Amino acid sequence: AHGESVLGQLKLSDQGGFPLLCKYLDAREHLSVQVHPSEAYVANHPDAFLKSEAWYIVDADEGAVIYKGVKEGVTPEQFAAAIKDNTVADLMIAMPAVVGEMHYLPSGTCHALGAGTVVAEVQTPSDTTYRVYDWGREGRELHIEQALQCIHFGPADTAQYEPHTTIERDHTIVTTLVHCEHFRTERITMTADHTMPLPANTSQPRVWMVLNGDATLKCDGSDDTLITTADTLLLPAGIGELQIEASTDITWLETTFPQVGSNLIA
């Protein structure tokens, strides 16, 4: 409805909507093992769309894991047999869910959130998801044939997209967690009682997910906006100059779009 004032130079997604989905996921039990279409699959299936995502671990029970990729040497035939005998978890790579870490999951990565994890999720907005295994639960549709055609068999080689580089300056720490072709997500921490200007940038919007703390956003011509833990905000491209005033120490994720310009904070 608001076009360029929200998006700036950013283009709509291939499906015509905003090019990100951002959400918090609270996995009380293992979520289904699934995969999003690979590039090769999409090339031959016009109704399928790529979907890449990233998980920031907000909270995790002791011993909680995420599943990211398939163990080296596993074949599609072995994986299909494991689906039938409920041993899929034995063939997947289980990684400790460490609070503060962020994992990139490109399209084609077989993945699942383990029980006892809370994550902030940033992803491209495709709704093409193939559920390949549901931990023996019944009642939900599986898409085994499609999934086996899409899965990248082997570990997810994502280190190049997870730089974890940090810039420190007066009262602020900025860490780049994920930088891929679709989005760039940084963790920004600011100390209490500090005020920071946010320069205007008309090229693109910003999405913030507040991990903890409280602050006030000030913008000329608008009422002050209070932000707090678990809030998610869209800062439109046309919003102009802002100031953030921290009431407490505050940490948030900022996601921007590398295809239309550089990071807006650091």
Side-chain angles (χ1 to χ4, degrees):
H2 297 282
E4 190 174 337
S5 65
V6 171
L7 295 175
Q9 299 170 19
L10 186 64
K11 304 300 182 185
L12 295 175
S13 73
D14 291 341
Q15 297 181 84
F18 191 75
L20 280 184
L21 292 176
C22 298
K23 64 188 77 167
Y24 289 98
L25 297 177
D26 183 356
R28 306 290 180 88
E29 57 184 18
H30 288 336
L31 301 192
S32 62
V33 178
Q34 54 186 233
V35 66
H36 306 299
S38 62
E39 291 189 8
Y41 189 89
V42 167
N44 294 297
H45 296 81
D47 58 339
F49 294 89
L50 297 173
K51 184 183 187 75
S52 293
E53 56 194 272
W55 291 337
Y56 180 89
I57 311 298
V58 175
D59 195 17
D61 292 345
E62 184 176 355
V65 299
I66 66 167
Y67 295 90
K68 180 182 179 181
V70 178
K71 291 179 179 177
E72 193 74 56
V74 173
T75 66
E77 293 74 21
Q78 289 171 325
F79 202 85
I83 294 169
K84 293 180 179 179
D85 60 21
N86 288 321
T87 58
V88 167
D90 296 338
L91 304 185
M92 296 191 66
I93 298 171
M95 305 181 70
V98 177
V99 173
E101 290 189 351
M102 194 167 199
H103 297 269
Y104 181 54
L105 301 150
S107 252
T109 304
C110 193
H111 61 277
L113 272 181
T117 55
V118 179
V119 302
E121 182 179 67
V122 178
Q123 58 185 203
T124 54
S126 161
D127 59 1
T128 311
T129 298
Y130 299 131
R131 188 181 299 113
V132 65
Y133 179 66
D134 205 18
W135 306 97
R137 296 181 291 242
E138 297 182 357
R140 294 208 295 177
E141 182 182 5
L142 299 180
H143 315 93
I144 296 171
E145 180 181 348
Q146 299 97 319
L148 291 175
Q149 295 179 58
C150 295
I151 292 172
H152 169 74
F153 284 92
D157 183 14
T158 59
Q160 62 181 311
Y161 304 109
E162 301 164 347
H164 286 256
T165 53
T166 296
I167 296 173
E168 295 190 38
R169 58 182 180 227
D170 190 30
H171 300 288
T172 309
I173 301 173
V174 180
T175 302
T176 302
L177 300 172
V178 168
H179 188 171
C180 65
E181 63 181 302
H182 308 292
F183 51 82
R184 174 184 176 119
T185 299
E186 294 165 310
R187 181 181 60 221
I188 302 167
T189 298
M190 195 169 77
T191 57
D193 302 318
H194 180 61
T195 298
M196 180 173 66
L198 303 173
N201 187 310
T202 58
S203 67
Q204 61 172 294
R206 290 164 274 190
V207 176
W208 285 10
M209 303 178 78
V210 183
L211 300 174
N212 55 69
D214 302 286
T216 301
L217 282 179
K218 294 179 175 290
C219 179
D220 289 344
S222 298
D223 294 338
D224 292 352
T225 300
L226 303 179
I227 61 175
T228 191
T229 303
D231 282 348
T232 301
L233 301 90
L234 171 64
L235 305 180
I239 200 170
E241 293 189 2
L242 290 168
Q243 278 195 338
I244 179 170
E245 297 181 356
S247 307
T248 67
D249 290 353
I250 184 170
T251 301
W252 69 94
L253 300 179
E254 175 175 279
T255 299
T256 53
F257 303 88
Q259 62 269 39
V260 289
S262 62
N263 143 41
L264 302 177
I265 290 285

